[in-house]
Amino acid sequence: MSWQPAAEPECLDGPDDVEMLIRPHEKDLGGFTVRRALPSAERRTVGPYVFFDHMGPASFSSGRGIDVRPHPHIGLATVTYLFAGEILHRDSLGSVQPIRPGAVNLMTSGRGIVHSERTPPEQRIAGAALHGIQLWLALPVALQETDPAFVHYPATTIPVVDAGEARVTVIMGTAYGVSSPVATHSPTLYVEVMFLKDGRLPLPGSHDERAVYVVEGRAAIGAIDLNAGDMAIVSPGAEPALQGDSGARIMIIGGEAFPEPRTVWWNFVSSDKARIEQAKQDWRAGRFDAVPGETEFIPLPE
């Protein structure tokens, strides 16, 4: 499908279109780099998003891969989206689901879920690759204690839009004339933009808070240049265009900010600090449901 913007006067983007720039902290996990843009010292959240991790790109030698042992979550939804490689998801609901490029794994923790993420055995034989984004979205107060759930959306179900110089994938929410089938718990935007040649693309403007993250290549918002690893927080109400060089891959996130602040401690998110303390005690005491077939686990940080 294709999308064309309605004719309108040329908008000159200025420095006021960008509220702040975030340069993620990088962490090397033994040949595997993760860049964490949210939370940061400059900004804790964007809309419902409380966590933004850029994983890789990484190439593992034969026999190696990622092994994220079982660990718990409460009060959030995780969204995993890959550009390359494969991750095998297992959780305490009994879900066993490989995720591959272009597909979406949506896990809603609610009152509590446990999951593991590993490179599948068959991917380790010749040497695995991994590149992708993992996001956490805080749940609205009314859904923080909902039943846990897991849904996988194949790549063929995620809408892709021909926007001229760019190919746009609407991962969550509604943008560029299409709506994603991925469930949302509050007003949410999540879009991947791939510039096929140098060009411009208007940013969706129907969300309280928005951010742009450059995965690969170079981009700009007005006079603000963005390189790989940069996150730009877009000013509220601004209607700038995103400029991208050919080959640039850019993620756009956004949504409605919650009126209640969230506490994020380890893998737990809640508007109630006492609920975080209860989750700590429950994990330490082994009261979370286990992941079938898994015996390892990540201990509670001290």
Side-chain angles (χ1 to χ4, degrees), residues 39 71 233:
H71 57 281
I233 306 297

Side-chain angles (χ1 to χ4, degrees), residues 1-286:
M1 63 187 66
S2 66
W3 171 90
Q4 294 295 330
E8 57 184 47
E10 179 75 4
C11 177
L12 296 179
D13 311 322
D16 292 342
D17 291 326
V18 174
E19 186 176 317
M20 69 176 66
L21 281 179
I22 297 172
R23 292 185 168 85
H25 171 72
E26 293 189 9
K27 186 172 183 179
D28 187 346
L29 302 180
F32 176 54
T33 300
V34 172
R35 299 170 181 84
R36 181 158 299 165
L38 295 175
S40 71
E42 298 89 350
R43 182 80 175 225
R44 308 297 296 176
T45 63
V46 173
Y49 293 94
V50 296
F51 180 98
F52 186 114
D53 257 11
H54 176 192
M55 308 177 292
S59 296
F60 300 97
S61 58
S62 179
R64 297 179 61 86
I66 66 164
D67 284 293
V68 181
R69 295 167 292 162
H71 57 281
H73 290 285
I74 67 164
L76 58 83
T78 68
V79 182
T80 306
Y81 184 78
L82 298 183
F83 311 123
E86 184 174 328
I87 295 175
L88 182 63
H89 164 98
R90 296 179 182 268
D91 64 41
S92 50
L93 300 175
S95 311
V96 179
Q97 178 64 58
I99 181 169
R100 302 181 179 97
V104 176
N105 272 6
L106 173 67
M107 184 182 75
T108 302
S109 67
R111 57 181 169 78
I113 197 169
V114 179
H115 76 134
S116 66
E117 297 163 295
R118 302 182 188 271
T119 301
E122 63 274 14
Q123 294 288 317
R124 299 174 189 250
I125 297 173
L130 185 63
H131 191 199
I133 303 288
Q134 188 168 87
L135 306 178
W136 296 358
L137 298 91
L139 295 176
V141 168
L143 295 177
Q144 288 183 129
E145 296 299 315
T146 192
D147 290 340
F150 175 82
V151 184
H152 175 78
Y153 297 87
T156 53
T157 67
I158 308 302
V160 178
V161 177
D162 175 1
E165 294 93 354
R167 184 179 69 244
V168 178
T169 303
V170 181
I171 303 167
M172 299 180 77
T174 298
Y176 304 105
V178 299
S179 296
S180 169
V182 178
T184 59
H185 303 292
S186 64
T188 304
L189 175 71
Y190 186 20
V191 171
E192 177 192 18
V193 179
M194 275 293 300
F195 278 97
L196 307 178
K197 54 185 176 181
D198 295 357
R200 286 167 61 92
L201 183 73
L203 286 179
S206 59
H207 296 274
D208 290 349
E209 299 183 349
R210 292 161 294 163
V212 169
Y213 179 82
V214 181
V215 176
E216 298 171 311
R218 297 188 305 172
I221 298 176
I224 306 300
D225 291 331
L226 303 172
N227 296 306
D230 288 343
M231 173 175 278
I233 306 297
V234 180
S235 300
E239 297 183 359
L242 175 65
Q243 303 169 68
D245 289 356
S246 178
R249 186 193 302 268
I250 296 154
M251 313 306 285
I252 304 170
I253 62 170
E256 182 178 325
F258 293 127
E260 314 88 357
R262 293 297 190 273
T263 295
V264 180
W265 189 91
W266 192 40
N267 302 315
F268 305 140
V269 177
S270 181
S271 60
D272 182 358
K273 292 183 179 179
R275 181 65 180 92
I276 300 283
E277 294 304 314
Q278 182 63 56
K280 292 181 187 180
Q281 296 175 29
D282 288 344
W283 184 244
R284 189 182 288 118

